Amino acid sequence: MRDVEIVTERLRLRPVRSEDRDVVTALGADERVMAWLGGSPTAERSEAWLEKHVRQWREHGLGPFAVDRNGVIAGFVGLSRADFDAGIVPGIEVGWRFVFAHWGKGYATEAARAVIGDAFERLGLAEVVAATTPGNTRSRRVMERLEMVYSPSDTFEHPRVPEGDALRTHVVYRVTRNAWIAGRR
């Protein structure tokens, strides 16, 4: 899958690879970036995240893209299979995390829009979902700019977040292929 590349007006996206280790670890160590994701993981957990997604690309042809802005990795945006076995809303989920210095520049929206388009065109998916905590207004605004629709009936308690934790409740947004195509006309 190393031949998959998406180019947008300002960004170049390519599948994440093992050589991205330093960026993944640094991103994981930044509390500002990880606050809505449960806090900073250990270097070992960051490494495991990276290798899981490199394997996902190899086995399933989807996963996070490294988002390159003028030769610098600004963050990661991509697709992952929601964990059906953990009781999380089934589907292919789009998600993102960016280096703090690149926040507020529209890169998450631009890259996620391109990834969703790829999901519908190259992968032929019927729907893409996104989930976050109710208070993560920045991510929710990105979902809205992507013309994803809030699905209140899909709100769930994340089984991997302890009871009582402020990050346990998650809201879900959805976009179907048909709605995506209609919105592009």
Side-chain angles (χ1 to χ4, degrees):
M1 283 288 109
R2 295 211 182 255
D3 59 337
V4 176
E5 182 179 74
I6 300 172
V7 178
T8 69
E9 183 180 331
R10 303 179 295 165
L11 308 169
R12 183 175 301 274
L13 288 67
R14 54 116 176 118
V16 68
R17 52 187 182 225
S18 296
E19 298 82 38
D20 296 325
R21 183 174 296 102
D22 291 343
V23 178
V24 169
T25 302
L27 202 55
D30 189 332
E31 285 292 335
R32 298 167 298 185
V33 173
M34 300 305 294
W36 294 106
L37 299 170
S40 293
T42 63
E44 293 78 20
R45 283 187 56 213
S46 288
E47 174 78 21
W49 178 91
L50 177 62
E51 291 311 317
K52 170 187 168 186
H53 290 295
V54 168
R55 189 171 50 255
Q56 186 175 318
W57 266 108
R58 189 172 50 251
E59 294 172 1
H60 303 291
L62 60 85
F65 287 89
V67 179
D68 180 300
R69 170 75 176 144
N70 296 329
V72 175
I73 300 301
F76 300 94
V77 175
L79 302 171
S80 64
R81 175 186 171 270
D83 192 339
F84 300 103
D85 301 327
I88 298 171
V89 173
I92 301 296
E93 181 180 359
V94 64
W96 46 85
R97 75 177 65 160
F98 275 81
V99 174
F100 186 75
H102 296 285
W103 284 20
K105 298 178 180 175
Y107 299 154
T109 303
E110 183 176 335
R113 184 172 285 122
V115 168
I116 292 171
D118 182 62
F120 293 138
E121 294 165 17
R122 180 177 62 88
L123 298 173
L125 298 181
E127 179 181 63
V128 174
V129 300
T132 191
T133 57
N136 189 349
T137 56
R138 293 178 74 89
S139 279
R140 291 183 78 171
R141 281 195 303 265
V142 171
M143 294 170 195
E144 290 163 3
R145 283 192 293 272
L146 293 169
E147 299 175 28
M148 299 184 89
V149 177
Y150 174 48
S151 182
S153 64
D154 288 324
T155 298
F156 67 97
E157 299 299 307
H158 200 298
R160 293 197 179 127
V161 179
E163 286 189 38
D165 189 306
L167 301 179
R168 185 167 167 90
T169 301
H170 277 63
V171 295
V172 176
Y173 286 71
R174 298 177 173 279
V175 63
T176 65
R177 179 179 186 179
N178 290 341
W180 184 263
I181 291 168
R184 298 295 152 261
R185 289 187 185 142

